[in-house]
Amino acid sequence: MVDRIAQIWGTRTPFGRGERWPVRVDQVLAQGVAESDVQRWVQSACVLCSNGCGIDIGVRDGIMVGVRGRAGDIVNHGRLGPKGLFASWQGVQNKDRLTRPLVRENGELVETDWDTAMERIVSRSRSLLDTKGPLSHGFYTSGQLFLEEYYAQAIVGKAGIGTPHMDGNTRLCTATAAAAMKESFGSDGQPGSYVDIDECDAMFLFGHNMAETQTVLWSRVLDRIDGPDRPRIVCVDPRETEVARHAEVHLAVRPGTNLALMHGLVRELFVNGWIDQDYIHRHTMNVDELRSTVEPWTPEAVADTCGVEAEDVRRAAEIFGTSERVLSTVLQGFYQSSQATAASCAVNNLHLLRGMIGKAGCGILQMNGQPTAQNNRECGADGDLSGFRNWENPDHVQELAELWNVDPAIIPHWAPPTHAMQIFRYVEQGSIEFLWISATNPAVSMPQLPRIRDILASDSLFLVVQDLYLTETAQFADVVLPAAAWGEKTGTFTNVNRTVHLSEKAVEPPGEARSDLHTFLDYSARMGFQQLDGSPLLDWNQPEDAFNAWKECTRGRPCDYTGLTYDKLRGGSGVPWPCNENHPDGTVRLYHDGVFPTDPEYCETYGHDLLTGATVGPEAYKAMNPAGRAIFKTAPYHPAHETPDEEFPLRYTTGRTVYHFHTRTKTGRSPQLNDAAPDAWVEMSVNDAETYGVTEGNIVRVESRRGHITAPVRVSDIRDGTIFAPFHYGYWDQSGTPDTRHRAANELTITEWDPVSKQPVLKNAAVRVTKIAEGTGPSPAPTTTASRPATRGKARRHLLPTAGGPAAQATESIAPVTAPTVATKEEQP
Amino acid sequence: MKLPVYLGLLHKAEGTLAQSFRQVAEGHGHEPDVHFLCQALADQCQEHQQALQPIIDRYGEVDHDDEPERLQADGLQNTRSGPVGLLRDLQDLYLLASLVDITWTMIKQAAQGLRDKELLSIVNDCDGQTSTQLKWLQTRMKQAAPQALIAAK
Ligand code: SF4
């Protein structure tokens, strides 16, 4: 047994380059339940992060009693991380679950039946459509529904109502991943694969604290690091993360300066001739523009702007430029910071310059945060057109109209889809009067919370919230719909490296809770949405009907699902798309032939100017004639818009801890995880703590132009001048009134977004800090991860290491079977 | 030679556009993308003015011409409010930027005739940015127009 709170990544199973990652099956059962008590193991995959670990749910007497990793799954080879082990099942089996719909009566939410709740929604929706039209409606969805649910929602929004105001919290999480791939390659679609970890010689993690965001993926890296020919690691992160500790070069940049660093790295490749001229010539365009944009960014200039050593920039570039196989991963440190799309495209540029894409160990992983974010992007519940289609291409709109048998004019394609921040702005201005939020909690997760709360409370707004729990957001709703959770419904979803998993229903949902699919179908039927021939717009009964319809939507598109069925996904491993006649067992990597989906007839976008977000447009794009070549996209560096000044002298950045997911609706209800990270904290460096006369555990007030929070201090190894706060902690488990809301990191963040991806800038603001009390002991920050106490500095209080004790024991069975392979031609020629 | 007249026109038009971008940035602080981008674009216009300076030093600049001014393009003195107000302000910026753009084009013609390499390279850099400004204004207006014209209160 292993304490998996203390040992986050579990026992090491080292392996060498090109070998298979050994299997290790991790399992946890409820207290008092023996393995022989489990009556059924039901196949699924974990939804607590984007990694997509194959998981079996143990069921006894209609209740989930534990989980184990699926040994044969190509994603995790049996492993699970702390969130999968402790929160996946305990996070949904909880007395707080919503079991009946709620409606607002005289200002209070009261229980009601489904008919009453749905009729309220439909009558408001119908009357607004009749009087104000489709632009009065907005949908804000999630990165945690199933594929089938997004596709239903996309069709309801685009072909039933006809509103461009659809987005998901994927805007906060993966919008830049999608945007960067669209700009560089012409379409969304992850080039790399997790097996590239097994094959690479060097790994670059750009703003990606993989050790805490995708723990099982990091286990794979740790096993390579412990193996015979360890990969060289480079980490770009302002914090001393677990990744940084294993890195040969750690570039602790000032928040907001990523693009300057990237220009410096790209420039070094040019200057030292670490580029593949032949590949550039045959498979890319715009290299001269890239060369001239990066020209001023000498290592010294980078050092000056980013606050790193020039020598470290050279060393990092040398590792990139001279390693045989390089894998890069990118996440929120880039996506939620200034010039997000330009900085993320720069990672693609590094790989294109060396022709290191689509080959073993030479991958790019533009990561996602959430388990099903990929499906939202594919299906278009985030506003994109379904199946990676291009809203500026009339033929693509026509294809969808034919598929759905509706008039193409109803499908919104006259302007870019409305991004989340703009949807909230329209609500603020009163022009969106009907907002339907499913499976997300903007009252804690969006920037500048005092403003978001005002918007959600607007008198002019009719707010529908569909969730498992009465979240901070649900408390503002006019109608609350109880949703069935993971394990209580069947559907599919797709992880970061395109691997599609089936998640089967294991138990009944509590009370009257229903699957989101059921709810969307019910809404569509009650609204009377129709096809051209008068038949119902959505005539599906089962999730598999939706899946089959989706397959048709993907036929011939980059995300081709036509070779998949529920049956094919049962029993074995998840399968990476495209999966079709040519690739019956899926596809490990994209673009091995150097042909990119940039053809004007095929591409998902005609692209944007990365500095302003101006669209390139069809004429200019066609004139460029990309013809299957990748495009070097770049922009000049601009300093962040809010930088420290006399009044607010420190940089503020936000992020996660390994023990929680999002706003803790699930992880906060898992005792093991909650005990490990029970409350908020803020991090300060040793030097800053000294300057401000603060020691571990003192209570400080952190204030920006938008609000303030109070929290105990963890003196950590974060870079000087930077304050960090975890974004998980809201108010559902805190008593108090609205004016005592000073815990959520987003009270302080700025309302601003990247011009191309429209992803909010959650990782860069200016703040000031004041000590307000001594505190009663050390801060509750975990000691096991980036929030660990500073290793330098003097006279620290003694801190108990974070551990889980008897409740956090999991079994690990090492190498019970041989490791799975991705069953494709590429791996098994 | 009338090139100095056009250099004067352009210098003035870039200044007017810069000042108008700043005006819109200030007036629409609740639209963060407009607010921040207009500031950045105002800086660009001023950089264009600076880039022109060595050329003006060589050819001179004429403020007033004997041609009468028929169309006044004095820039935005104030901003409007609300969704339609935003649209109108962006549209005014679009007109001002178009004037800048076409003036660069005329100067490029002259530069080609003069085979003035320095001027040509300045025109290429600056006019590229001006046309991106126009594209951004168009992108942003297209996004705002349906809501402003149909649904806004
Ligand atoms: S790594 Fe992610 S998907 Fe895997 S068990 Fe942990 S939370 Fe779940």
Side-chain angles (χ1 to χ4, degrees):
Chain A
M1 298 287 253
V2 179
D3 179 338
R4 290 298 303 279
I5 292 294
Q7 312 229 6
I8 296 165
W9 305 280
T11 306
R12 294 279 58 77
T13 53
F15 70 118
R17 186 182 109 160
E19 292 170 15
R20 300 267 154 244
W21 188 30
V23 168
R24 185 191 85 198
V25 176
D26 299 351
Q27 177 176 312
V28 133
L29 291 173
Q31 228 176 359
V33 174
E35 199 165 331
S36 55
D37 297 334
V38 176
Q39 292 157 344
R40 286 183 302 135
W41 289 100
V42 180
Q43 178 178 356
S44 179
C46 174
V47 288
L48 271 306
C49 86
S50 62
N51 205 48
C53 296
I55 201 170
D56 284 327
I57 307 171
V59 179
R60 185 182 70 175
D61 299 334
I63 292 174
M64 303 188 212
V65 290
V67 288
R68 72 173 179 209
R70 288 177 64 81
D73 198 279
I74 56 170
V75 169
N76 54 325
H77 295 212
R79 287 165 193 74
L80 295 174
K83 284 181 293 188
L85 287 168
F86 301 119
S88 54
W89 52 294
Q90 297 187 106
V92 300
Q93 279 183 169
N94 190 284
K95 58 171 179 25
D96 298 345
R97 280 289 295 278
L98 293 167
T99 55
R100 297 196 69 201
L102 308 174
V103 291
R104 195 164 290 280
E105 292 286 357
N106 304 321
E108 298 289 315
L109 284 170
V110 296
E111 286 197 354
T112 188
D113 54 51
W114 273 93
D115 261 337
T116 309
M118 288 306 289
E119 278 312 315
R120 279 214 190 176
I121 295 171
V122 166
S123 75
R124 176 57 82 99
S125 183
R126 174 58 52 217
S127 84
L128 276 173
L129 277 185
D130 290 346
T131 55
K132 308 248 162 112
L135 297 176
S136 59
H137 280 56
F139 291 86
Y140 184 54
T141 179
S142 176
Q144 300 182 60
L145 302 185
F146 287 167
L147 181 156
E148 294 77 359
E149 297 169 329
Y150 292 127
Y151 192 43
Q153 194 172 12
I155 298 178
V156 166
K158 291 178 206 307
I161 296 169
T163 177
H165 308 324
M166 303 185 78
D167 203 356
N169 63 13
T170 47
R171 189 64 59 185
L172 278 57
C173 122
T174 77
T176 304
M181 292 191 278
K182 289 187 213 178
E183 296 295 330
S184 298
F185 311 131
S187 170
D188 198 344
Q190 190 69 267
S193 165
Y194 291 168
V195 296
D196 290 322
I197 294 175
D198 313 354
E199 315 265 0
C200 69
D201 300 307
M203 265 189 87
F204 278 63
L205 294 99
F206 294 101
H208 182 195
N209 183 5
M210 186 195 281
E212 297 193 57
T213 55
Q214 289 90 4
T215 59
V216 169
L217 204 57
W218 182 244
S219 300
R220 197 166 184 154
V221 177
L222 287 177
D223 286 346
R224 273 298 313 275
I225 290 175
D226 274 10
D229 41 14
R230 54 173 293 169
R232 305 173 78 180
I233 310 280
V234 175
C235 168
V236 180
D237 200 311
R239 295 170 77 208
E240 184 75 13
T241 60
E242 199 62 21
V243 176
R245 293 176 105 200
H246 286 87
E248 186 176 331
V249 181
H250 175 203
L251 296 159
V253 292
R254 286 189 187 108
T257 65
N258 294 329
L259 185 58
L261 172 72
M262 296 311 293
H263 282 345
L265 294 177
V266 169
R267 185 179 178 279
E268 285 298 287
L269 294 197
F270 279 122
V271 169
N272 293 287
W274 293 321
I275 56 175
D276 182 339
Q277 285 289 6
D278 183 53
Y279 189 91
I280 294 170
H281 177 69
R282 286 193 295 134
H283 299 298
T284 71
M285 55 188 302
N286 281 4
V287 71
D288 292 336
E289 191 192 324
L290 178 67
R291 197 193 301 263
S292 67
T293 305
V294 302
E295 188 40 45
W297 290 98
T298 61
E300 285 67 28
V302 173
D304 211 37
T305 298
C306 304
V308 296
E309 297 294 327
E311 194 42 39
D312 286 344
V313 178
R314 288 199 179 86
R315 284 169 62 211
E318 191 258 341
I319 295 173
F320 199 99
T322 60
S323 298
E324 193 187 328
R325 299 168 169 194
V326 184
L327 170 66
S328 293
T329 71
V330 196
L331 196 59
Q332 308 307 1
F334 272 39
Y335 298 165
Q336 295 180 341
S337 194
S338 314
Q339 297 193 280
T341 305
S344 305
C345 281
V347 178
N348 299 343
N349 293 345
L350 284 172
H351 282 263
L352 290 169
L353 283 172
R354 289 208 60 205
M356 287 204 299
I357 189 163
K359 300 174 193 152
C362 300
I364 300 170
L365 293 169
Q366 298 277 359
M367 300 294 294
N368 310 339
Q370 297 179 85
T372 76
Q374 184 62 46
N375 303 108
N376 194 341
R377 278 148 51 184
E378 293 163 1
C379 295
D382 65 347
D384 286 341
L385 283 196
S386 314
F388 293 161
R389 285 180 174 80
N390 185 350
W391 62 269
E392 287 186 283
N393 183 337
D395 294 339
H396 285 192
V397 178
Q398 181 63 33
E399 282 170 24
L400 286 181
E402 280 166 22
L403 208 55
W404 299 336
N405 193 24
V406 297
D407 179 351
I410 194 175
I411 301 173
H413 62 280
W414 54 82
T418 315
H419 59 96
M421 301 303 295
Q422 191 66 48
I423 290 177
F424 277 76
R425 177 68 177 144
Y426 289 153
V427 175
E428 187 174 37
Q429 292 178 319
S431 63
I432 289 181
E433 296 178 63
F434 177 98
L435 182 65
W436 187 323
I437 297 178
S438 40
T440 185
N441 193 7
V444 182
S445 56
M446 278 214 156
Q448 201 180 348
L449 290 181
R451 169 175 176 261
I452 296 295
R453 283 191 291 267
D454 286 348
I455 292 174
L456 291 172
S458 312
D459 285 341
S460 60
L461 177 66
F462 184 83
L463 180 65
V464 180
V465 175
Q466 191 175 0
D467 213 308
L468 310 183
Y469 295 102
L470 193 68
T471 60
E472 291 86 341
T473 302
Q475 290 171 19
F476 290 98
D478 295 284
V479 178
V480 180
L481 300 175
W486 173 88
E488 298 165 359
K489 60 182 183 180
T490 293
T492 53
F493 58 93
T494 306
N495 78 343
V496 168
N497 75 339
R498 296 172 274 104
T499 306
V500 187
H501 283 106
L502 177 68
S503 177
E504 302 250 38
K505 177 172 174 175
V507 299
E508 289 301 323
E512 296 173 25
R514 286 181 184 173
S515 77
D516 301 274
L517 178 65
H518 187 142
T519 301
F520 294 136
L521 294 179
D522 187 23
Y523 171 70
S524 181
R526 286 176 195 260
M527 291 294 287
F529 294 138
Q530 289 178 345
Q531 303 183 20
L532 283 175
D533 59 12
S535 62
L537 180 65
L538 293 175
D539 50 4
W540 312 329
N541 295 310
Q542 299 298 326
E544 198 163 358
D545 301 338
F547 187 78
N548 289 332
W550 167 245
K551 280 163 58 176
E552 278 315 307
C553 184
T554 65
R555 189 177 291 281
R557 297 300 301 159
C559 53
D560 197 330
Y561 280 68
T562 48
L564 290 171
T565 61
Y566 274 21
D567 262 347
K568 185 166 178 137
L569 294 168
R570 272 191 188 108
S573 170
V575 178
W577 62 247
C579 178
N580 52 22
E581 271 178 8
N582 296 336
H583 303 275
D585 298 308
T587 308
V588 182
R589 300 177 187 88
L590 305 183
Y591 314 138
H592 63 92
D593 52 1
V595 177
F596 297 89
T598 48
D599 185 275
E601 302 309 317
Y602 191 67
C603 65
E604 189 183 2
T605 178
Y606 298 131
H608 300 80
D609 171 60
L610 297 194
L611 184 69
T612 59
T615 55
V616 170
E619 295 82 18
Y621 187 82
K622 284 174 189 162
M624 236 163 62
N625 189 24
R629 289 174 293 168
I631 307 170
F632 285 114
K633 296 289 286 243
T634 188
Y637 167 75
H638 267 260
H641 291 129
E642 192 173 85
T643 48
D645 53 21
E646 262 176 28
E647 216 186 331
F648 297 96
L650 297 159
R651 288 183 195 250
Y652 179 66
T653 188
T654 66
R656 71 170 66 244
T657 176
V658 71
Y659 299 111
H660 285 301
F661 190 51
H662 281 192
T663 60
R664 295 177 310 124
T665 44
K666 289 177 179 173
T667 53
R669 289 175 168 99
S670 149
Q672 296 88 343
L673 298 173
N674 195 50
D675 291 349
D679 207 342
W681 71 90
V682 296
E683 286 167 38
M684 265 177 115
S685 77
V686 176
N687 292 336
D688 290 338
E690 237 175 64
T691 310
Y692 286 85
V694 172
T695 56
E696 171 71 33
N698 286 170
I699 312 292
V700 293
R701 173 187 165 104
V702 184
E703 193 172 4
S704 78
R705 290 183 173 82
R706 293 153 294 274
H708 76 269
I709 56 173
T710 56
V713 166
R714 162 59 43 88
V715 180
S716 78
D717 284 331
I718 193 166
R719 62 163 294 137
D720 289 339
T722 301
I723 303 290
F724 169 90
F727 58 57
H728 306 288
Y729 300 92
Y731 306 101
W732 60 263
D733 52 346
Q734 244 195 354
S735 51
T737 57
D739 24 306
T740 58
R741 285 176 178 156
H742 299 296
R743 182 159 84 147
N746 282 317
E747 302 290 346
L748 313 188
T749 43
I750 187 172
T751 300
E752 194 201 339
W753 52 84
D754 179 70
V756 180
S757 69
K758 320 293 189 205
Q759 187 152 351
V761 180
L762 295 166
K763 290 204 187 288
N764 186 56
V767 295
R768 61 176 167 234
V769 168
T770 343
K771 176 175 162 180
I772 55 173
E774 285 302 315
T776 51
S779 73
T783 64
T784 39
T785 59
S787 59
R788 81 179 69 72
T791 45
R792 32 182 206 268
K794 45 183 194 244
R796 300 194 316 267
R797 293 193 199 179
H798 178 67
L799 299 184
L800 276 182
T802 302
Q809 302 296 314
T811 56
E812 293 182 340
S813 129
I814 293 178
V817 291
T818 53
T821 56
V822 187
T824 68
K825 285 191 223 136
E826 293 138 274
E827 282 222 318
Q828 299 175 330
Chain B
M1 182 164 85
K2 292 289 186 190
L3 179 59
V5 175
Y6 256 71
L7 289 173
L9 269 180
L10 181 58
H11 195 256
K12 187 168 159 226
E14 287 278 15
T16 307
L17 182 57
Q19 172 266 321
S20 302
F21 269 128
R22 286 203 203 285
Q23 186 82 44
V24 172
E26 284 323 301
H28 295 281
H30 290 298
E31 313 292 343
D33 55 343
V34 172
H35 176 72
F36 290 122
L37 264 173
C38 284
Q39 285 176 348
L41 299 182
D43 291 345
Q44 257 184 12
C45 296
Q46 283 176 320
E47 284 158 24
H48 293 180
Q49 284 187 307
Q50 279 160 19
L52 268 179
Q53 203 53 55
I55 305 296
I56 291 173
D57 292 346
R58 273 203 280 127
Y59 291 103
E61 175 182 18
V62 175
D63 263 353
H64 287 287
D65 169 23
D66 25 10
E67 298 294 329
E69 289 283 333
R70 300 289 186 210
L71 180 70
Q72 302 293 333
D74 289 344
L76 268 73
Q77 309 307 327
N78 259 311
T79 47
R80 306 167 175 95
S81 62
V84 180
L86 173 68
L87 198 57
R88 292 285 303 276
D89 285 343
L90 293 175
Q91 201 159 335
D92 287 348
L93 287 175
Y94 189 85
L95 292 176
L96 294 169
S98 304
L99 179 65
V100 170
D101 186 51
I102 194 67
T103 314
W104 277 112
T105 308
M106 297 307 108
I107 286 186
K108 182 174 183 177
Q109 296 300 101
Q112 278 167 333
L114 290 164
R115 276 169 271 155
D116 184 333
K117 286 205 181 114
E118 187 193 8
L119 179 52
L120 269 174
S121 105
I122 293 169
V123 173
N124 280 339
D125 288 352
C126 297
D127 192 32
Q129 291 187 334
T130 304
S131 55
T132 302
Q133 293 178 0
L134 282 168
K135 279 195 164 171
W136 173 70
L137 286 163
Q138 200 178 61
T139 303
R140 189 64 179 82
M141 283 190 288
K142 273 183 157 178
Q143 179 205 319
Q147 200 72 9
L149 300 183
I150 302 171
K153 296 196 164 165

